[in-house]
């Protein structure tokens, strides 16, 4: 089965976001964000409650969710095709 560019992109995003490397990188970014804002209180660009960080995380989720769902739907479609071949 030949994959479209969108399907390949969805699979790549799903593979990356489903990895420990992504989870650890996300945690490191958040901890650094908190630490830099706490240490440089007078120069903090996103003071507590970190609204800019919340916006960035929401935007990431808004873009990632459809790609992850597309990848899951394609995987389910492939599973159905394999099931019907037998």
């Amino acid at each position: 089965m030949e994959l479209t560019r969108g399907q390949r992109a969805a699979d790549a995003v799903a593979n990356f976001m489903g990895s420990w490397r992504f989870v650890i990188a996300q945690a490191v970014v958040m901890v650094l964000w908190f630490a830099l804002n706490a240490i440089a209180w007078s120069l903090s660009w996103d003071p507590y409650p970190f609204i800019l960080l919340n916006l960035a995380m929401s935007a990431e989720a808004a873009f990632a969710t459809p790609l992850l769902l597309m990848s899951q739907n394609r995987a389910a479609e492939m599973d159905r095709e394999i099931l019907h071949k037998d």
Side-chain angles (χ1 to χ4, degrees):
M1 179 171 137
E2 185 67 27
L3 299 178
T4 66
R5 188 177 307 158
Q7 290 171 329
R8 286 193 304 271
D11 286 345
V13 169
N15 285 335
F16 176 66
M17 293 189 86
S19 70
W20 277 108
R21 184 175 13 161
F22 175 77
V23 172
I24 292 168
Q26 189 85 346
V28 167
V29 166
M30 291 179 71
V31 168
L32 286 174
W33 191 287
F34 297 149
L36 289 174
N37 274 286
I39 292 169
W41 192 259
S42 63
L43 302 174
S44 61
W45 64 91
D46 189 20
Y48 183 82
F50 307 117
I51 293 175
L52 185 58
L53 178 63
N54 285 323
L55 177 64
M57 299 294 287
S58 296
E60 178 185 346
F63 286 107
T65 302
L67 292 172
L68 295 170
L69 290 172
M70 283 188 281
S71 180
Q72 285 182 334
N73 288 341
R74 196 184 63 69
E77 182 181 316
M78 287 174 35
D79 288 344
R80 279 193 299 274
E81 287 179 12
I82 291 171
L83 182 65
H84 288 290
K85 283 182 182 180
D86 294 337

